[in-house]
């Protein structure tokens, strides 16, 4: 089921999320819904607070060409970051049509729990590295615009407030 994506500014996008303790049917349904919502948008990553669920769940698929590689990460955390950095033009499904360059570690090792309750670890590079860090930030109430200067951030936030007013009028 496709779930509505919250648009910034929203208090739920600024709050830290709770750890997943058990892989319940609700968690599985949430993960599948999030994948469906992400592919539909379309996007390469989505975090649970973006659909209003305050749980440490993210989904990703950064494959542009070729067979899809859907990933579900519960309680993901960065256990190692490279010193070398990458600059990517980032966007966010909660901040539609706004993009800005963000500097982050070029590769990161992330540990997480999968839907079987098993611990997994993988080192991500390239777009995957940027995406996983962006999504983990969401779980801590942090958005990519928080890396920008205050003027740029304010400008984007005003545009989003306007977009939300327009959408509310049309609803
Ligand atoms: Ni995002």
């Amino acid at each position: 089921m496709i779930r509505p994506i919250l648009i910034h500014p929203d208090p739920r996008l600024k709050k830290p999320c709770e750890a997943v303790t058990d892989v319940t049917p609700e968690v599985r349904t949430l993960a599948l819904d999030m994948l469906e919502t992400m592919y539909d948008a379309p996007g390469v990553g989505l975090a649970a607070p973006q659909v209003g669920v305050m749980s440490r769940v993210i989904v990703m698929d950064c494959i542009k060409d070729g067979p899809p590689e859907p990933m579900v990460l519960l309680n993901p955390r960065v256990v190692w970051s490279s010193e070398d950095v990458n600059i990517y033009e980032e966007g966010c499904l909660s901040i539609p049509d706004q993009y800005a360059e963000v500097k982050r570690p070029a590769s990161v090792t992330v540990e997480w729990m999968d839907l079987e309750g098993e611990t997994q670890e993988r080192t991500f590079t390239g777009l995957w590295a940027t995406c996983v860090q962006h999504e983990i930030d969401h779980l801590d109430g942090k958005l990519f615009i928080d890396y920008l200067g205050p003027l740029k951030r304010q400008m984007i936030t005003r545009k989003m407030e306007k977009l939300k007013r327009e959408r509310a009028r049309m609803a």
Side-chain angles (χ1 to χ4, degrees), residues 50 91-94 134-135 138 143-144:
Q50 293 182 275
C92 181
L93 294 176
S94 293
H134 174 121
E135 300 311 330
H138 273 297
L143 302 171
F144 82 89

Coordinates of all heavy atoms in Angstrom, one line a residue, residues 50 91-94 134-135 138 143-144, ligand 1:
Q50 N 9.1 9.7 7.4 CA 8.6 10.4 6.2 C 7.1 9.9 5.9 O 6.4 10.6 5.1 CB 9.4 10.2 4.9 CG 10.8 10.9 5.1 CD 11.6 10.6 3.8 OE1 12.3 9.6 3.7 NE2 11.6 11.6 2.9
G91 N 18.5 15.4 -2.9 CA 17.1 15.8 -2.9 C 16.4 14.9 -1.8 O 17.0 14.1 -1.2
C92 N 15.1 15.1 -1.6 CA 14.4 14.4 -0.6 C 12.9 14.4 -0.9 O 12.4 15.4 -1.4 CB 14.6 15.1 0.8 SG 13.8 14.2 2.1
L93 N 12.3 13.2 -0.8 CA 10.9 13.1 -1.1 C 10.0 14.0 -0.2 O 8.9 14.3 -0.6 CB 10.4 11.6 -1.1 CG 11.0 10.7 -2.1 CD1 10.6 9.3 -1.9 CD2 10.7 11.1 -3.5
S94 N 10.5 14.4 0.9 CA 9.8 15.3 1.8 C 10.0 16.7 1.5 O 9.5 17.6 2.1 CB 10.1 15.0 3.3 OG 9.6 13.7 3.7
H134 N 21.9 9.8 4.4 CA 20.7 10.7 4.3 C 19.5 10.1 5.0 O 18.8 10.8 5.8 CB 20.4 11.0 2.8 CG 19.2 11.8 2.5 ND1 19.2 13.0 1.8 CD2 17.9 11.5 2.8 CE1 17.9 13.4 1.7 NE2 17.1 12.5 2.3
E135 N 19.3 8.8 4.8 CA 18.1 8.1 5.4 C 18.3 7.9 6.9 O 17.4 8.1 7.7 CB 17.9 6.8 4.7 CG 17.6 6.8 3.2 CD 16.5 7.9 2.8 OE1 15.6 8.2 3.6 OE2 16.7 8.4 1.7
H138 N 17.4 11.0 8.7 CA 16.0 11.1 9.0 C 15.6 10.5 10.3 O 14.7 11.0 11.0 CB 15.2 10.4 7.8 CG 14.9 11.3 6.6 ND1 14.2 12.4 6.7 CD2 15.3 11.1 5.3 CE1 14.1 12.9 5.4 NE2 14.8 12.2 4.6
L143 N 17.4 16.7 8.3 CA 17.2 16.7 6.9 C 18.4 17.3 6.2 O 19.3 17.9 6.8 CB 16.0 17.7 6.6 CG 14.7 17.3 7.3 CD1 13.7 18.5 7.2 CD2 14.1 16.0 6.8
F144 N 18.5 17.0 4.9 CA 19.7 17.4 4.1 C 19.8 18.9 4.1 O 21.0 19.5 4.1 CB 19.8 16.8 2.7 CG 19.0 17.6 1.7 CD1 19.5 18.6 0.9 CD2 17.6 17.2 1.4 CE1 18.8 19.3 0.0 CE2 16.9 17.9 0.4 CZ 17.5 18.9 -0.3
Ligands
LIG1 NI1 15.0 12.4 2.6

